[in-house]
Amino acid sequence: MDHDGNPGNLREVEGRLFNTMSERYMLPADAPEHKRLDFQHQAVITMLGGLFPRNAGVEDILAPRSNGSRPRVLDIGTGTGAWAVDVAIQYPYAEVVGLDLAPVKLGSTPPANCTFIQGDANAGMRSYGQFDVVHARAVLQGVKDYAAFFKDISEVLNAGGVFLTLEVEIGMYNESKVPFGIQQEDDPNFCWTHKTTLLYAEATTKRNPSFALLPEVPQILKNDPEKSWATVEGTSFLIPAGPIENTSSEERVAGDLMYNSIRDGPRLLRVLLVASGYDPEDVHRWTENAVDEIANWRVKFWIKWNAIWAIKKGTSSSE
């Protein structure tokens, strides 16, 4: 613990707690952030239709095995641990490990088949053993070398195993599901939340140049020099950030959850933006306008998520 009573692996900046293990990941790691991430988790699995993309084959991999062996799952950047706990409950015969830069604080005791480890995936994952599924959601902003990261994942995946990565696409989509693109503040339908998202991407790329490669993840996997992956596939889905007319029941549920996840989200970016050289007064104006825009739902928008899965070459030894 530090002199303020915070765990030694967390540091306080402007009243929020941040991890001390990586300067690349600059979002908080405290109770309010965990609450936000729990809403995000529920929104994503609502639109995804479950914990995994339907066509990724994960359910088959995690099915009970005739030889009695237990499939193993690694959740990189587990955050609140919600996804890991949900997998452990749904597949009680699987062994689930959650890995994060910050300690995981659960509101209740996790299932017996679910454990959590504090560590940095950038430093390698071999010490955690072999896995049949590796999951990473919204973590690539903190990964310093995508090719090396994917290589490390392929090394801890068993043959026939699946790597899943889900990331938010940078930039919002308008009510008609068309990207806002580049805007000026006096443009009709100008979106402050879109602006702060672009600033976040710019600031993150300054700290971690690899983040500029986010759109190229499928190609990086396909171009793996060791040809580790049998297939690389993906899907995309849009989540409304609030109530939008003429949406499905799933979109309405996910939209309510996402609204609760992002309504204070722009303020989370202040530390990152100021540390990246932006004027504090400008940062305050941008983020407060975005928070007000969301609170009053002045500009309706959608958030796009991209899910990619890669299956490691070979046949599972459990078959």
Side-chain angles (χ1 to χ4, degrees):
M1 306 286 283
D2 64 16
H3 67 279
D4 294 318
N6 299 319
N9 39 33
L10 296 175
R11 59 194 170 96
E12 183 174 340
V13 183
E14 296 188 8
R16 301 299 301 267
L17 298 179
F18 292 79
N19 84 85
T20 58
M21 297 184 69
S22 173
E23 288 295 322
R24 285 177 293 275
Y25 188 87
M26 285 288 289
L27 293 179
D30 51 18
E33 174 67 355
H34 288 171
K35 185 176 181 180
R36 182 188 76 81
L37 291 174
D38 280 339
F39 279 122
Q40 181 190 84
H41 168 67
Q42 292 299 324
V44 169
I45 65 173
T46 296
M47 288 305 300
L48 198 58
L51 295 168
F52 327 104
R54 292 186 179 91
N55 299 323
V58 176
E59 290 87 352
D60 293 337
I61 292 174
L62 296 184
R65 297 174 173 179
S66 57
N67 64 7
S69 64
R70 293 164 63 89
R72 299 190 76 225
V73 180
L74 175 63
D75 184 26
I76 300 173
T78 195
T80 68
W83 186 90
V85 168
D86 283 354
V87 173
I89 292 172
Q90 189 166 328
Y91 299 92
Y93 36 80
E95 197 177 310
V96 185
V97 177
L99 175 68
D100 202 89
L101 292 167
V104 175
K105 295 183 179 179
L106 299 173
S108 58
T109 303
N113 60 325
C114 183
T115 58
F116 295 99
I117 301 171
Q118 185 180 0
D120 186 355
N122 286 296
M125 291 162 268
R126 289 186 181 182
S127 62
Y128 310 127
Q130 294 297 120
F131 297 90
D132 301 285
V133 177
V134 175
H135 174 264
R137 184 170 70 199
V139 302
L140 292 182
Q141 68 208 62
V143 173
K144 63 183 178 181
D145 184 331
Y146 288 3
F149 179 66
F150 299 150
K151 180 177 184 295
D152 287 346
I153 288 171
S154 73
E155 290 176 348
V156 300
L157 260 182
N158 290 322
V162 177
F163 166 48
L164 300 167
T165 175
L166 286 84
E167 292 287 335
V168 177
E169 185 170 299
I170 299 303
M172 307 305 183
Y173 284 62
N174 68 20
E175 188 174 2
S176 301
K177 301 183 179 180
V178 176
F180 280 110
I182 303 301
Q183 294 183 302
Q184 302 299 321
E185 290 185 16
D186 58 354
D187 287 349
N189 208 38
F190 177 79
C191 182
W192 287 102
T193 313
H194 175 67
K195 179 181 178 69
T196 57
T197 302
L198 297 183
L199 290 166
Y200 153 77
E202 186 176 276
T204 300
T205 303
K206 286 181 182 179
R207 304 179 77 85
N208 180 19
S210 289
F211 193 58
L213 300 176
L214 188 62
E216 300 175 32
V217 165
Q219 206 57 44
I220 294 172
L221 288 165
K222 291 175 182 178
N223 291 341
D224 170 28
E226 297 186 14
K227 308 295 183 187
S228 302
W229 309 106
T231 60
V232 177
E233 299 181 56
T235 188
S236 299
F237 53 95
L238 289 159
I239 303 180
I244 294 179
E245 293 181 1
N246 301 317
T247 53
S248 68
S249 59
E250 290 83 4
E251 288 170 334
R252 287 193 291 273
V253 171
D256 183 57
L257 291 163
M258 188 57 71
Y259 175 84
N260 283 287
S261 173
I262 70 165
R263 60 184 178 181
D264 197 48
R267 291 181 178 138
L268 303 179
L269 307 180
R270 287 179 180 171
V271 171
L272 169 63
L273 295 177
V274 172
S276 300
Y278 296 98
D279 180 85
E281 291 187 4
D282 285 338
V283 170
H284 181 82
R285 180 174 68 89
W286 297 331
T287 55
E288 285 305 301
N289 280 332
V291 168
D292 177 72
E293 176 181 83
I294 295 168
N296 294 287
W297 203 219
R298 299 188 196 283
V299 179
K300 298 175 174 61
F301 59 89
W302 299 72
I303 300 170
K304 187 175 182 180
W305 284 78
N306 296 310
I308 307 296
W309 58 92
I311 300 176
K312 188 175 178 181
K313 285 184 176 179
T315 302
S316 171
S317 59
S318 65
E319 294 182 359

